Every structure is written in structure tokens, then in C-alpha cells.
Coordinates of all heavy atoms in Angstrom, one line a residue:
M1 N -1.8 10.3 -47.8 CA -1.1 10.6 -46.5 C -1.5 11.9 -46.0 O -1.4 12.9 -46.7 CB 0.4 10.5 -46.6 CG 1.2 10.5 -45.3 SD 0.9 9.0 -44.4 CE 2.1 9.2 -43.1
A2 N -2.0 12.0 -44.8 CA -2.4 13.3 -44.2 C -1.2 14.2 -44.0 O -0.1 13.7 -43.7 CB -3.1 13.0 -42.9
D3 N -1.5 15.5 -44.1 CA -0.4 16.5 -43.9 C -0.6 17.1 -42.5 O -1.6 17.2 -42.0 CB -0.5 17.6 -44.9 CG -0.1 17.1 -46.3 OD1 0.8 16.2 -46.4 OD2 -0.7 17.5 -47.3
F4 N 0.5 17.7 -42.1 CA 0.5 18.5 -40.8 C -0.1 19.9 -41.2 O 0.3 20.5 -42.2 CB 1.9 18.7 -40.3 CG 2.3 17.5 -39.4 CD1 3.2 16.5 -39.9 CD2 1.8 17.3 -38.1 CE1 3.6 15.4 -39.2 CE2 2.2 16.3 -37.3 CZ 3.1 15.3 -37.9
V5 N -1.0 20.3 -40.4 CA -1.7 21.6 -40.6 C -1.5 22.5 -39.4 O -1.6 22.0 -38.3 CB -3.2 21.4 -40.9 CG1 -3.9 22.7 -41.2 CG2 -3.3 20.5 -42.1
V6 N -1.2 23.8 -39.6 CA -1.1 24.7 -38.5 C -2.4 24.7 -37.7 O -3.5 24.9 -38.2 CB -0.8 26.1 -39.0 CG1 -0.9 27.1 -37.9 CG2 0.6 26.1 -39.6
A7 N -2.3 24.5 -36.4 CA -3.5 24.5 -35.5 C -3.6 25.7 -34.6 O -4.7 26.2 -34.3 CB -3.5 23.2 -34.7
A8 N -2.4 26.1 -34.0 CA -2.5 27.2 -33.0 C -1.0 27.7 -32.8 O -0.1 27.0 -33.2 CB -3.1 26.8 -31.7
K9 N -0.9 28.8 -32.1 CA 0.4 29.2 -31.6 C 0.6 28.5 -30.2 O -0.3 28.3 -29.5 CB 0.4 30.7 -31.3 CG 0.2 31.5 -32.6 CD 1.6 31.9 -33.2 CE 1.4 32.8 -34.3 NZ 2.3 32.4 -35.5
I10 N 1.9 28.2 -30.0 CA 2.2 27.5 -28.7 C 1.7 28.3 -27.5 O 1.2 27.8 -26.5 CB 3.7 27.3 -28.6 CG1 4.1 26.1 -29.5 CG2 4.2 27.1 -27.2 CD1 5.6 25.8 -29.6
S11 N 1.8 29.7 -27.6 CA 1.4 30.6 -26.5 C -0.1 30.5 -26.2 O -0.5 31.0 -25.2 CB 1.9 32.0 -26.8 OG 1.3 32.5 -28.0
E12 N -0.9 30.0 -27.2 CA -2.3 30.0 -27.0 C -2.8 28.8 -26.1 O -3.9 28.7 -25.7 CB -3.0 29.9 -28.3 CG -2.9 31.0 -29.2 CD -3.6 30.8 -30.6 OE1 -4.8 31.1 -30.6 OE2 -2.9 30.4 -31.5
V13 N -1.9 27.8 -25.9 CA -2.3 26.6 -25.1 C -1.2 26.5 -24.0 O -0.2 25.9 -24.2 CB -2.3 25.3 -26.0 CG1 -3.0 24.2 -25.3 CG2 -2.9 25.6 -27.3
T14 N -1.6 27.0 -22.9 CA -0.6 27.0 -21.7 C -0.7 25.7 -21.0 O -1.7 24.9 -21.1 CB -1.0 28.2 -20.8 OG1 -2.4 28.1 -20.4 CG2 -0.7 29.5 -21.4
P15 N 0.4 25.4 -20.2 CA 0.5 24.0 -19.6 C -0.7 23.8 -18.7 O -1.1 24.7 -17.9 CB 1.8 24.2 -18.8 CG 2.6 25.1 -19.5 CD 1.7 26.1 -20.1
G16 N -1.3 22.6 -18.8 CA -2.4 22.2 -17.9 C -3.7 22.7 -18.5 O -4.8 22.5 -17.8
H17 N -3.7 23.2 -19.7 CA -5.0 23.7 -20.3 C -5.2 23.1 -21.7 O -4.3 22.6 -22.3 CB -4.9 25.3 -20.4 CG -5.0 25.9 -19.0 ND1 -3.8 26.2 -18.3 CD2 -6.0 26.2 -18.3 CE1 -4.2 26.7 -17.2 NE2 -5.5 26.8 -17.1
M18 N -6.4 23.3 -22.1 CA -6.9 22.9 -23.5 C -7.4 24.0 -24.3 O -7.8 25.1 -23.7 CB -7.9 21.8 -23.3 CG -7.4 20.5 -22.6 SD -8.7 19.2 -22.5 CE -8.6 18.6 -24.2
K19 N -7.5 23.8 -25.6 CA -8.1 24.8 -26.4 C -8.7 24.1 -27.6 O -8.2 23.2 -28.1 CB -7.0 25.8 -27.0 CG -7.5 26.8 -27.9 CD -6.3 27.7 -28.4 CE -6.8 28.8 -29.4 NZ -7.6 29.8 -28.9
T20 N -9.9 24.6 -28.0 CA -10.6 24.1 -29.2 C -10.2 24.9 -30.4 O -10.2 26.1 -30.4 CB -12.1 24.2 -29.0 OG1 -12.4 23.4 -27.8 CG2 -12.8 23.6 -30.2
V21 N -9.8 24.2 -31.5 CA -9.4 24.8 -32.7 C -10.1 24.1 -33.9 O -10.5 23.0 -33.8 CB -7.9 24.8 -32.9 CG1 -7.1 25.7 -31.9 CG2 -7.3 23.4 -32.9
L22 N -10.2 24.9 -35.0 CA -10.8 24.3 -36.2 C -9.7 24.1 -37.2 O -8.9 25.0 -37.5 CB -11.8 25.3 -36.7 CG -12.9 24.7 -37.7 CD1 -13.7 23.6 -37.0 CD2 -13.8 25.8 -38.1
V23 N -9.4 22.8 -37.5 CA -8.4 22.5 -38.5 C -8.9 21.7 -39.6 O -9.5 20.6 -39.4 CB -7.3 21.6 -37.8 CG1 -6.1 21.3 -38.7 CG2 -6.8 22.3 -36.5
N24 N -8.8 22.3 -40.8 CA -9.4 21.6 -42.0 C -10.8 21.3 -41.8 O -11.3 20.2 -42.2 CB -8.6 20.4 -42.4 CG -7.3 20.7 -43.2 OD1 -7.0 21.9 -43.4 ND2 -6.7 19.7 -43.7
G25 N -11.6 22.1 -41.1 CA -13.0 21.9 -41.0 C -13.4 20.9 -39.8 O -14.5 20.7 -39.6
K26 N -12.3 20.4 -39.2 CA -12.5 19.5 -38.0 C -12.3 20.2 -36.7 O -11.3 21.0 -36.6 CB -11.5 18.3 -38.1 CG -11.9 17.2 -39.0 CD -11.1 16.0 -38.6 CE -11.6 14.7 -39.2 NZ -11.2 14.4 -40.5
Q27 N -13.2 20.0 -35.8 CA -13.0 20.6 -34.4 C -12.1 19.7 -33.6 O -12.4 18.5 -33.3 CB -14.4 20.7 -33.8 CG -14.4 21.9 -32.8 CD -15.9 22.3 -32.5 OE1 -16.6 22.6 -33.4 NE2 -16.2 22.3 -31.2
I28 N -11.0 20.3 -33.2 CA -9.9 19.5 -32.5 C -9.7 20.1 -31.1 O -9.7 21.3 -31.0 CB -8.6 19.6 -33.3 CG1 -8.7 19.2 -34.7 CG2 -7.5 18.8 -32.6 CD1 -9.0 17.7 -34.9
A29 N -9.4 19.3 -30.1 CA -9.0 19.7 -28.8 C -7.5 19.6 -28.6 O -7.0 18.5 -28.7 CB -9.8 18.9 -27.7
L30 N -6.8 20.7 -28.4 CA -5.4 20.7 -28.1 C -5.2 20.7 -26.6 O -5.9 21.4 -25.9 CB -4.7 21.9 -28.8 CG -4.7 22.0 -30.3 CD1 -4.1 23.4 -30.7 CD2 -4.0 20.9 -30.9
A31 N -4.2 20.0 -26.2 CA -3.9 20.0 -24.7 C -2.4 20.1 -24.6 O -1.6 19.6 -25.3 CB -4.4 18.6 -24.1
N32 N -2.1 20.9 -23.5 CA -0.6 21.1 -23.2 C -0.4 20.4 -21.8 O -1.0 20.8 -20.8 CB -0.3 22.6 -23.1 CG 1.1 22.9 -22.7 OD1 1.8 22.0 -22.1 ND2 1.6 24.0 -23.0
I33 N 0.3 19.3 -21.8 CA 0.7 18.6 -20.6 C 2.2 18.8 -20.3 O 3.0 18.2 -21.0 CB 0.3 17.1 -20.6 CG1 -1.2 17.0 -20.9 CG2 0.7 16.4 -19.3 CD1 -1.6 15.5 -21.1
D34 N 2.5 19.7 -19.3 CA 3.9 19.9 -19.0 C 4.7 20.3 -20.2 O 5.9 19.8 -20.4 CB 4.5 18.7 -18.3 CG 3.8 18.4 -17.0 OD1 3.3 19.4 -16.3 OD2 3.7 17.3 -16.5
G35 N 4.1 21.1 -21.1 CA 4.9 21.5 -22.3 C 4.9 20.6 -23.5 O 5.4 20.9 -24.5
E36 N 4.2 19.4 -23.3 CA 4.0 18.5 -24.5 C 2.6 18.6 -25.0 O 1.7 18.7 -24.2 CB 4.3 17.1 -24.0 CG 4.7 16.2 -25.2 CD 5.1 14.8 -24.7 OE1 5.4 14.6 -23.5 OE2 5.0 13.9 -25.5
F37 N 2.4 18.7 -26.3 CA 1.1 18.9 -26.9 C 0.5 17.7 -27.4 O 1.2 16.8 -28.0 CB 1.3 20.0 -28.0 CG 1.7 21.3 -27.5 CD1 3.0 21.7 -27.5 CD2 0.8 22.2 -26.9 CE1 3.4 22.9 -27.0 CE2 1.1 23.4 -26.4 CZ 2.5 23.8 -26.4
F38 N -0.8 17.6 -27.3 CA -1.6 16.5 -27.8 C -2.9 17.0 -28.4 O -3.3 18.1 -28.1 CB -2.0 15.5 -26.6 CG -0.8 15.0 -25.9 CD1 -0.2 15.6 -24.8 CD2 -0.2 13.8 -26.4 CE1 0.9 15.1 -24.2 CE2 1.0 13.3 -25.7 CZ 1.5 13.9 -24.7
A39 N -3.4 16.2 -29.4 CA -4.6 16.6 -30.1 C -5.6 15.4 -30.2 O -5.1 14.3 -30.5 CB -4.3 17.1 -31.5
M40 N -6.8 15.7 -30.0 CA -7.8 14.6 -30.2 C -9.1 15.3 -30.6 O -9.2 16.5 -30.6 CB -8.0 13.8 -28.9 CG -8.7 14.6 -27.7 SD -9.0 13.4 -26.4 CE -10.1 14.4 -25.5
G41 N -10.2 14.5 -30.9 CA -11.5 15.1 -31.2 C -12.0 15.9 -30.1 O -11.8 15.6 -28.9
D42 N -12.7 17.0 -30.5 CA -13.1 18.0 -29.5 C -14.6 17.6 -29.0 O -15.0 17.9 -27.9 CB -13.1 19.4 -30.0 CG -13.6 20.4 -29.0 OD1 -12.9 20.6 -28.0 OD2 -14.7 21.0 -29.2
S43 N -15.3 17.1 -29.9 CA -16.7 16.8 -29.7 C -16.9 15.5 -28.9 O -16.6 14.4 -29.4 CB -17.5 16.8 -31.0 OG -18.8 16.5 -30.8
C44 N -17.4 15.6 -27.6 CA -17.5 14.4 -26.8 C -18.3 13.4 -27.5 O -19.4 13.7 -28.1 CB -18.2 14.8 -25.5 SG -18.3 13.4 -24.3
T45 N -17.9 12.1 -27.5 CA -18.6 11.0 -28.2 C -19.9 10.7 -27.5 O -20.7 9.8 -28.0 CB -17.7 9.8 -28.3 OG1 -17.3 9.3 -27.0 CG2 -16.5 10.0 -29.1
H46 N -20.2 11.2 -26.3 CA -21.5 11.0 -25.7 C -22.6 11.9 -26.2 O -23.5 11.3 -26.9 CB -21.3 11.2 -24.2 CG -22.6 11.0 -23.4 ND1 -23.1 11.9 -22.5 CD2 -23.5 10.0 -23.4 CE1 -24.2 11.5 -22.0 NE2 -24.5 10.3 -22.5
A47 N -22.5 13.2 -26.0 CA -23.6 14.0 -26.5 C -23.0 15.3 -27.2 O -23.7 16.3 -27.4 CB -24.5 14.4 -25.4
G48 N -21.7 15.3 -27.6 CA -21.2 16.3 -28.4 C -20.7 17.6 -27.7 O -20.4 18.5 -28.4
C49 N -20.6 17.6 -26.4 CA -20.1 18.8 -25.8 C -18.6 19.0 -26.1 O -17.9 18.1 -26.4 CB -20.2 18.7 -24.2 SG -21.9 18.8 -23.7
S50 N -18.2 20.3 -26.1 CA -16.8 20.6 -26.4 C -15.9 20.2 -25.3 O -16.0 20.8 -24.2 CB -16.7 22.1 -26.8 OG -15.3 22.5 -26.8
L51 N -14.9 19.3 -25.6 CA -14.0 18.9 -24.5 C -12.9 20.0 -24.3 O -12.5 20.2 -23.1 CB -13.3 17.6 -24.8 CG -14.3 16.4 -24.9 CD1 -13.7 15.2 -25.6 CD2 -14.8 16.1 -23.5
G52 N -12.5 20.6 -25.3 CA -11.5 21.7 -25.2 C -12.0 22.9 -24.6 O -11.3 23.7 -23.9
G53 N -13.3 23.2 -24.8 CA -13.9 24.4 -24.3 C -14.5 24.3 -22.9 O -14.4 25.2 -22.1
E54 N -15.1 23.1 -22.7 CA -15.9 23.0 -21.4 C -15.3 21.9 -20.5 O -15.7 21.7 -19.3 CB -17.3 22.6 -21.6 CG -18.1 23.7 -22.5 CD -19.4 23.2 -23.0 OE1 -20.1 22.6 -22.3 OE2 -19.6 23.3 -24.2
G55 N -14.3 21.1 -21.0 CA -13.7 20.1 -20.2 C -12.7 20.6 -19.2 O -12.2 21.7 -19.3
V56 N -12.5 19.8 -18.2 CA -11.5 20.1 -17.2 C -10.3 19.1 -17.2 O -10.5 17.9 -17.1 CB -12.1 20.1 -15.8 CG1 -11.0 20.4 -14.7 CG2 -13.2 21.1 -15.7
L57 N -9.1 19.7 -17.4 CA -7.9 18.8 -17.6 C -7.3 18.6 -16.3 O -7.0 19.5 -15.5 CB -7.0 19.4 -18.6 CG -5.8 18.6 -19.0 CD1 -6.2 17.3 -19.7 CD2 -4.9 19.5 -19.9
D58 N -7.0 17.3 -15.9 CA -6.2 17.0 -14.7 C -5.2 15.9 -15.1 O -5.6 14.8 -15.4 CB -7.2 16.4 -13.6 CG -6.5 16.2 -12.3 OD1 -5.3 16.6 -12.2 OD2 -7.1 15.6 -11.4
G59 N -4.0 16.3 -15.1 CA -2.9 15.4 -15.6 C -3.2 15.2 -17.1 O -3.3 16.1 -17.9
N60 N -3.3 13.9 -17.5 CA -3.6 13.6 -18.9 C -5.1 13.2 -19.2 O -5.4 12.7 -20.2 CB -2.7 12.5 -19.4 CG -2.9 11.2 -18.6 OD1 -3.3 11.2 -17.5 ND2 -2.7 10.0 -19.3
V61 N -5.9 13.4 -18.2 CA -7.3 13.1 -18.3 C -8.2 14.3 -18.3 O -8.1 15.2 -17.5 CB -7.8 12.2 -17.2 CG1 -9.3 11.9 -17.2 CG2 -7.0 10.8 -17.2
V62 N -9.1 14.4 -19.4 CA -10.0 15.5 -19.4 C -11.4 15.0 -19.0 O -11.8 13.9 -19.4 CB -10.1 16.1 -20.8 CG1 -10.5 15.1 -21.9 CG2 -11.0 17.3 -20.8
T63 N -12.1 15.7 -18.2 CA -13.4 15.4 -17.7 C -14.4 16.3 -18.5 O -14.3 17.5 -18.4 CB -13.6 15.6 -16.2 OG1 -12.6 14.8 -15.5 CG2 -15.0 15.3 -15.7
C64 N -15.3 15.7 -19.2 CA -16.3 16.4 -20.0 C -17.2 17.3 -19.0 O -17.6 16.8 -17.9 CB -17.2 15.5 -20.8 SG -18.4 16.3 -21.7
G65 N -17.4 18.5 -19.4 CA -18.2 19.4 -18.5 C -19.7 19.1 -18.5 O -20.4 19.7 -17.6
C66 N -20.1 18.2 -19.3 CA -21.6 18.0 -19.4 C -22.0 16.9 -18.5 O -22.9 17.0 -17.7 CB -22.0 17.7 -20.8 SG -21.9 19.2 -21.9
H67 N -21.5 15.7 -18.6 CA -21.9 14.5 -17.8 C -20.8 13.8 -17.2 O -21.0 12.6 -16.7 CB -22.7 13.6 -18.7 CG -23.8 14.2 -19.6 ND1 -23.6 14.5 -20.9 CD2 -24.9 14.8 -19.2 CE1 -24.6 15.1 -21.4 NE2 -25.5 15.3 -20.4
G68 N -19.6 14.3 -17.1 CA -18.5 13.7 -16.4 C -17.7 12.6 -17.1 O -16.9 12.0 -16.5
G69 N -18.0 12.4 -18.4 CA -17.2 11.4 -19.1 C -15.7 11.8 -19.1 O -15.4 13.0 -19.1
Q70 N -14.8 10.8 -19.2 CA -13.4 11.1 -19.2 C -12.7 10.5 -20.3 O -13.0 9.3 -20.7 CB -12.8 10.7 -17.8 CG -13.3 11.5 -16.6 CD -12.6 11.1 -15.3 OE1 -12.3 10.0 -15.2 NE2 -12.4 12.1 -14.5
F71 N -11.7 11.2 -20.8 CA -10.8 10.7 -21.9 C -9.4 10.9 -21.6 O -9.1 12.0 -20.9 CB -11.1 11.3 -23.2 CG -12.6 11.1 -23.7 CD1 -13.5 12.0 -23.3 CD2 -12.9 10.1 -24.6 CE1 -14.9 11.8 -23.8 CE2 -14.2 9.9 -25.0 CZ -15.2 10.8 -24.6
D72 N -8.5 10.1 -22.0 CA -7.0 10.3 -21.9 C -6.7 11.1 -23.2 O -6.8 10.7 -24.3 CB -6.3 8.9 -22.0 CG -4.8 9.1 -21.8 OD1 -4.3 10.1 -22.2 OD2 -4.2 8.1 -21.3
V73 N -6.2 12.4 -22.9 CA -5.9 13.3 -24.1 C -4.7 12.8 -24.8 O -4.5 13.3 -26.0 CB -5.8 14.7 -23.6 CG1 -7.1 15.2 -23.0 CG2 -4.6 14.9 -22.7
T74 N -3.9 12.0 -24.2 CA -2.7 11.5 -25.0 C -3.0 10.4 -26.0 O -2.2 10.2 -26.9 CB -1.6 11.0 -24.0 OG1 -2.0 9.8 -23.4 CG2 -1.3 12.1 -22.9
T75 N -4.1 9.8 -25.8 CA -4.5 8.7 -26.7 C -5.9 8.8 -27.3 O -6.2 8.1 -28.3 CB -4.4 7.3 -26.0 OG1 -5.4 7.4 -24.9 CG2 -3.0 7.0 -25.4
G76 N -6.7 9.6 -26.7 CA -8.1 9.7 -27.1 C -9.0 8.6 -26.5 O -10.2 8.6 -26.7
K77 N -8.4 7.7 -25.7 CA -9.1 6.5 -25.2 C -10.1 7.0 -24.1 O -9.8 7.8 -23.2 CB -8.1 5.5 -24.6 CG -7.2 4.9 -25.6 CD -7.8 3.8 -26.3 CE -6.9 3.1 -27.3 NZ -7.5 2.6 -28.5
L78 N -11.2 6.3 -24.1 CA -12.2 6.5 -23.1 C -11.7 6.0 -21.7 O -11.2 4.9 -21.6 CB -13.5 5.8 -23.5 CG -14.7 5.8 -22.5 CD1 -15.2 7.2 -22.4 CD2 -15.7 4.8 -22.9
V79 N -11.9 6.9 -20.7 CA -11.5 6.5 -19.4 C -12.7 6.2 -18.5 O -12.7 5.2 -17.7 CB -10.6 7.6 -18.7 CG1 -10.4 7.3 -17.3 CG2 -9.3 7.8 -19.5
R80 N -13.8 7.0 -18.6 CA -15.0 6.8 -17.8 C -16.2 7.1 -18.6 O -16.3 8.2 -19.3 CB -14.9 7.7 -16.6 CG -16.0 7.5 -15.6 CD -15.8 8.3 -14.3 NE -16.2 9.7 -14.6 CZ -16.0 10.7 -13.6 NH1 -15.5 10.4 -12.5 NH2 -16.4 11.9 -13.9
P81 N -17.2 6.2 -18.6 CA -18.5 6.5 -19.2 C -19.2 7.7 -18.5 O -18.7 8.1 -17.4 CB -19.3 5.3 -19.0 CG -18.4 4.3 -18.4 CD -17.2 5.0 -17.9
P82 N -20.2 8.3 -19.1 CA -21.1 7.7 -20.0 C -20.8 7.6 -21.5 O -21.4 6.8 -22.2 CB -22.4 8.5 -19.9 CG -22.0 9.8 -19.5 CD -20.8 9.6 -18.6
P83 N -19.7 8.3 -22.0 CA -19.4 8.0 -23.4 C -19.0 6.6 -23.6 O -18.5 5.9 -22.7 CB -18.2 8.9 -23.7 CG -18.3 10.0 -22.6 CD -18.9 9.4 -21.4
A84 N -19.3 6.0 -24.8 CA -19.0 4.6 -25.1 C -17.9 4.4 -26.0 O -17.4 3.3 -26.2 CB -20.3 4.0 -25.6
E85 N -17.5 5.5 -26.7 CA -16.5 5.4 -27.7 C -15.3 6.3 -27.5 O -15.4 7.4 -26.9 CB -17.0 5.8 -29.1 CG -18.0 4.7 -29.6 CD -18.6 5.2 -30.9 OE1 -18.0 5.9 -31.7 OE2 -19.8 4.8 -31.2
D86 N -14.1 5.9 -27.9 CA -12.9 6.7 -27.9 C -13.0 7.9 -28.8 O -13.8 8.0 -29.7 CB -11.7 5.9 -28.3 CG -11.4 4.7 -27.5 OD1 -11.9 4.7 -26.3 OD2 -10.7 3.8 -28.0
E87 N -12.2 8.9 -28.5 CA -12.0 10.1 -29.4 C -10.9 9.7 -30.4 O -10.0 9.0 -30.1 CB -11.6 11.3 -28.6 CG -12.7 11.9 -27.7 CD -13.8 12.6 -28.5 OE1 -13.6 12.9 -29.7 OE2 -14.8 12.9 -27.9
P88 N -11.0 10.3 -31.7 CA -9.9 10.2 -32.5 C -8.7 10.9 -32.0 O -8.9 12.0 -31.3 CB -10.4 10.8 -33.8 CG -11.5 11.7 -33.5 CD -12.1 11.1 -32.2
S89 N -7.5 10.4 -32.2 CA -6.3 11.0 -31.7 C -5.5 11.4 -32.9 O -5.4 10.7 -33.9 CB -5.5 10.0 -30.8 OG -4.4 10.6 -30.3
Y90 N -4.8 12.6 -32.8 CA -4.0 13.1 -33.9 C -2.6 13.4 -33.5 O -2.3 13.8 -32.4 CB -4.7 14.4 -34.4 CG -6.1 14.3 -34.8 CD1 -7.1 14.7 -33.9 CD2 -6.5 13.8 -36.1 CE1 -8.5 14.5 -34.3 CE2 -7.8 13.6 -36.4 CZ -8.8 14.0 -35.5 OH -10.1 13.9 -35.9
E91 N -1.7 13.1 -34.5 CA -0.3 13.3 -34.3 C 0.0 14.8 -34.2 O -0.6 15.6 -35.0 CB 0.5 12.7 -35.4 CG 2.0 12.5 -35.1 CD 2.7 11.8 -36.3 OE1 2.0 11.1 -37.1 OE2 3.9 11.9 -36.4
V92 N 0.9 15.2 -33.4 CA 1.2 16.7 -33.2 C 2.7 16.9 -33.3 O 3.5 16.1 -32.9 CB 0.7 17.1 -31.8 CG1 1.1 18.6 -31.5 CG2 -0.8 17.0 -31.6
K93 N 3.1 18.0 -33.9 CA 4.5 18.5 -33.8 C 4.5 20.0 -33.6 O 3.5 20.7 -33.9 CB 5.3 18.0 -35.0 CG 4.9 18.7 -36.3 CD 5.9 18.3 -37.4 CE 5.6 19.0 -38.7 NZ 6.5 18.6 -39.8
T94 N 5.6 20.5 -33.2 CA 5.8 21.9 -33.1 C 6.9 22.4 -34.0 O 7.9 21.6 -34.3 CB 6.1 22.4 -31.7 OG1 7.3 21.7 -31.2 CG2 4.9 22.0 -30.7
E95 N 6.7 23.6 -34.5 CA 7.8 24.2 -35.4 C 7.8 25.7 -35.0 O 6.8 26.4 -35.1 CB 7.4 24.1 -36.9 CG 8.0 22.9 -37.6 CD 7.5 22.8 -39.0 OE1 7.1 23.8 -39.6 OE2 7.6 21.7 -39.5
G96 N 8.9 26.1 -34.4 CA 9.0 27.5 -33.9 C 8.0 27.7 -32.9 O 8.0 27.0 -31.9
D97 N 7.1 28.7 -33.1 CA 6.1 29.0 -32.1 C 4.7 28.4 -32.5 O 3.7 28.9 -32.0 CB 6.0 30.5 -31.9 CG 5.6 31.2 -33.2 OD1 5.5 30.6 -34.2 OD2 5.2 32.4 -33.1
T98 N 4.7 27.4 -33.4 CA 3.5 26.9 -33.9 C 3.2 25.5 -33.6 O 4.2 24.7 -33.6 CB 3.5 27.1 -35.5 OG1 3.8 28.5 -35.8 CG2 2.2 26.7 -36.1
I99 N 2.0 25.1 -33.3 CA 1.5 23.7 -33.1 C 0.9 23.3 -34.4 O 0.0 23.9 -35.0 CB 0.5 23.6 -32.0 CG1 1.1 24.2 -30.7 CG2 0.1 22.2 -31.8 CD1 0.0 24.4 -29.6
L100 N 1.4 22.1 -34.9 CA 0.8 21.5 -36.1 C 0.2 20.2 -35.8 O 0.7 19.4 -35.0 CB 1.8 21.4 -37.2 CG 2.5 22.7 -37.7 CD1 3.9 22.8 -37.0 CD2 2.7 22.7 -39.2
V101 N -0.9 19.9 -36.5 CA -1.6 18.6 -36.3 C -1.8 17.9 -37.6 O -2.0 18.5 -38.6 CB -3.0 18.9 -35.7 CG1 -3.8 17.6 -35.5 CG2 -3.0 19.6 -34.3
R102 N -1.5 16.6 -37.5 CA -1.7 15.8 -38.8 C -3.1 15.4 -39.0 O -3.7 14.6 -38.2 CB -0.8 14.5 -38.7 CG -0.6 13.9 -40.1 CD -0.1 12.5 -40.0 NE 1.3 12.3 -39.7 CZ 2.2 12.3 -40.6 NH1 1.9 12.5 -41.9 NH2 3.5 12.1 -40.3
I103 N -3.8 15.9 -40.0 CA -5.2 15.7 -40.3 C -5.3 14.9 -41.6 O -4.8 15.3 -42.6 CB -6.0 17.0 -40.4 CG1 -6.0 17.7 -39.0 CG2 -7.4 16.8 -40.9 CD1 -6.9 17.2 -38.0
Ligands
FES1 S1 -21.4 15.0 -23.5 FE1 -19.6 14.4 -22.6 S2 -20.1 13.1 -21.0 FE2 -22.0 13.7 -21.9

């Protein structure tokens, strides 16, 4: 069973924004949507661009900065090609001022 691992401070991911973090050697994109946190794979399934670093978040959809692919950050599901595959999605919880991700 995977454990929750500290990913970031809550203050590092402001509402409407994303952040790329390294958790247990995995690159994860954290998103803050109206104070609720979500985590999915950071590396775009199309050509590997960083979604947390170069993507643009609008509501619950991130648009990849490279070729415009879109994913739902709450589920990791593909919304618009050219990517062909979903991102992995990770369970998130908060404790105090910390965001934890189940890896
Ligand atoms: S790398 Fe993300 S759409 Fe191409």
C-alpha cells in the first residue's frame, strides 16, 4: 500500500496555480483549485513537457505549453489531443500547512 509523502507547503501552491514537485523520485504536478489540491503526473504524455511548470491552468483543465494538449487535473484524464493517454492521478491530503501525496 502506497504511503502519503510530503510534497509541498500549502503556501507554495496558490489558488489557480500549479507547481512541479519531486516526490519519491517521481515528477508530480500539484494544482490548487479554489483551495482544493490535486496531483497528477507532471510530464505530458505527448512529448514530456512539464505541465506544472509550463502549463496554463483554467478551472480544472491544464493546457500544455508545448502543443496545447489538455488534461483534467482532478482526474488526470485527457481532455484534448495531441496527447493520446491520460496522466496518472494521485490521492492528496493536507496536514497543517503541508500537502501530502499518496505515491
Ligand atoms: S508535450 Fe504536451 S501537448 Fe505536446
